[in-house]
Amino acid sequence: MSENSTIIPLKLNRPLRVIISGGGTGGHIFPALSIADALKRTYPGTEILFVGAENRMEMRRVPEAGYDILGLPVAGFDRRRLWRNFGVLIKLFKSVRMARRIVRDFKPDIAVGVGGYASGPTLKAAQKLGIPTLLQEQNSFAGVTNKLLAGHASKICVAYPGMERFFPADKIVMTGNPVRKALLEPDCDSTEARKRLGFSGKRPMVLIVGGSLGARSLNEAMIQVIRSGDAGKVKFDLLWQCGGADHKRCQEAVEGILPSNIILTDFISDMATAYCAADLVVARAGAGTISELELLGKPAILVPSPNVAEDHQRHNAEALASRGAADMVLDADAGSRLWVDICTIIENTETLRLLSENISSLALRDSDAAIVRQIALTVNAAHAEA
């Protein structure tokens, strides 16, 4: 039995009350929901309130998962057009007042921040009211909000070594990033998974996935290689998820020339099957994706997005590439390098084995349980001091 599976009794004579705040992207929302689910499993009756940013995806995703959420009007700073930040400051001021009222009304035992716009005002309000806070940092390069909150946080749960560059070392706990359980439990083997996706199941398969919105550079690289005629000459199959926004353009670009070994789709609803089928995954370098690949032991080519705060995806990819746990292709080089790397890696069983072995060695399992354990320890410590 692992340490994380040992349930810590809470020193409360009532249900635990937790605020979870953050969001903006799936990389923040899915870990937040995993933490909430783990809290409910471990301490039935726990009362959970999410606080997100108005008009961001958490306002839809969280209720779909069965949890209550309140939205703040907070927005991110525009670093290129500074004159637009006057309105941002007004929204921040309103959000701070709203967050203080939300925290006072809900009376949480702890506030958990997963990064994103809303977590700043919410956790700052909790800290000023003397409520313990726990941060969960998904990336190898810490986000601005978590860095600002770290000084008064009780615990900081991280997924990469070396995070004392950003946070007080005595507060850091290595837990990893929570991953959706369904992805880790496919109901078929790789051959059956390939057949479900529309392939024969007899050849190796490459999965190219740019996230729900797709990735322009990956799509351009695929269009280029298909138009050259090289894509149909290989001895592997390829599932290409281009994203809804770029689907029509990609379809038109390869109409009549898409080889039979490639399936083009805008969205993959069953990622568990897609991962199970894949011998090699080409993806962006978001923290959630990397955690999934680590837990599944999937050989990967990471193409970090250049359009993210602090260029954190490149730092994530470099953390793996430096350990021989993934291949990295910079976004600007995708057109010239990506297809070459795909063909080189998929055709070399020893390279695939080493990549799988190395990325698996970095996996931190039961991360949701580890974070819940830290929540319980923090709540108990605060209760003992009260």
Side-chain angles (χ1 to χ4, degrees), residues 266-321:
D266 60 338
F267 182 73
I268 299 173
S269 59
D270 186 359
M271 278 301 298
T273 296
Y275 273 142
C276 181
D279 297 280
L280 175 66
V281 178
V282 180
R284 289 304 202 188
T289 297
I290 287 178
S291 294
E292 292 166 2
L293 295 170
E294 288 173 346
L295 289 165
L296 293 166
K298 288 293 175 180
I301 299 175
L302 300 174
V303 186
S305 171
N307 305 311
V308 294
E310 288 88 39
D311 201 18
H312 68 254
Q313 286 203 8
R314 182 174 63 84
H315 293 284
N316 291 349
E318 286 175 342
L320 270 68

Side-chain angles (χ1 to χ4, degrees), residues 192-209:
E192 176 60 29
R194 292 174 195 145
K195 289 179 179 178
R196 288 185 186 180
L197 295 170
F199 298 108
S200 68
K202 298 177 181 179
R203 288 156 43 116
M205 197 200 91
V206 176
L207 169 64
I208 295 184
V209 57

